[in-house]
Amino acid sequence: MRVATWNVNSVKQRLPRLLPWLDQRRPDVVCLQETKLADDLIEDLLGAELDKRGYQAAYHGEARWNGVALFSRVGLDDVVTGLPGGPGFPHQEARAVSATCGGVRVHSVYVPNGREPGSEHYAYKLEWLAALRAQVAAGPDAVMVCGDMNIAPADADVFDPDAYVGQTHVTEPERAALDELQSAGLHDVVRDRWPSERVFTYWDYRAGMFHKDLGMRIDLVLAGAPVAERVAAAWVDRHARKGTGPSDHAPVIVDLDDAPDGDIGPVVPPPSAAAPRRGSVRLPQSK
């Protein structure tokens, strides 16, 4: 079973990329984030195309912002939208959808950004992660939490820790909240498979960050032990970040039991640039 997660940064804008990608990579389960479309509109846009490809779909969207989706060709049972009892800002946002697919409980999640350390939105992010952990801990061990976590788990998951001082995504409370989520029995399957590789999933559109390979690894696949033991390959599809009209995120792909493309490595193709000297690059928004 091939499971993929991708923050598409607007499913409407990414449609010319999404459909060919589905045909090329042929994932059995797809988790999308930042769809930015209400449920009826995304069904109008994608419903017939997904039917042709054998997918069932569950959507949890809203107009203009946020939005998650889950597509499956191996069953889509017991769909839950949102985080029951979870926090809002001030109301619950469309950031989570889960279902049982091929015997695995799959969560597609778009964790709040946090905006600025110490802000109300930052506190909301930490509360949201605690609610996600409670939901995952109450479920089966055969689980995958897939999506844009908006947290780089460690300094190795950003191109230069010095560039992110004072920023969200790397602070101790955020990483502690992610650790607490993983303490529910979840394994970071990409990092487990590639413990020392330089591998990112997100690159800012500005300042040529992708071509310089100045990125972050914030899109994760976390799997319970019964699923993690089945991982045959886990990698980042950099091809989907190249070319015309890409998302600023690349998909993460995990193969269970069998690796149809072989063990092709953490990135496809390899990074386009060597790591910069520490402290030599500032983030575009810091200029």
Side-chain angles (χ1 to χ4, degrees), residues 111 125 129 149-153 169 174-175 178 217-218 220:
V111 175
K125 179 178 190 174
L129 284 161
M149 302 295 174
N150 269 317
I151 300 170
H169 296 58
E174 290 169 287
R175 287 177 170 172
L178 181 60
R217 191 176 73 94
I218 57 176
L220 309 181

Side-chain angles (χ1 to χ4, degrees), residues 154-195:
D155 283 355
D157 298 303
V158 297
F159 74 87
D160 181 355
D162 288 354
Y164 290 90
V165 172
Q167 305 284 328
T168 57
H169 296 58
V170 300
T171 65
E172 184 177 342
E174 290 169 287
R175 287 177 170 172
L178 181 60
D179 287 344
E180 185 66 17
L181 172 61
Q182 289 188 242
S183 75
L186 301 179
H187 298 257
D188 181 347
V189 298
V190 169
R191 187 51 79 199
D192 284 354
R193 196 160 189 82
W194 306 101

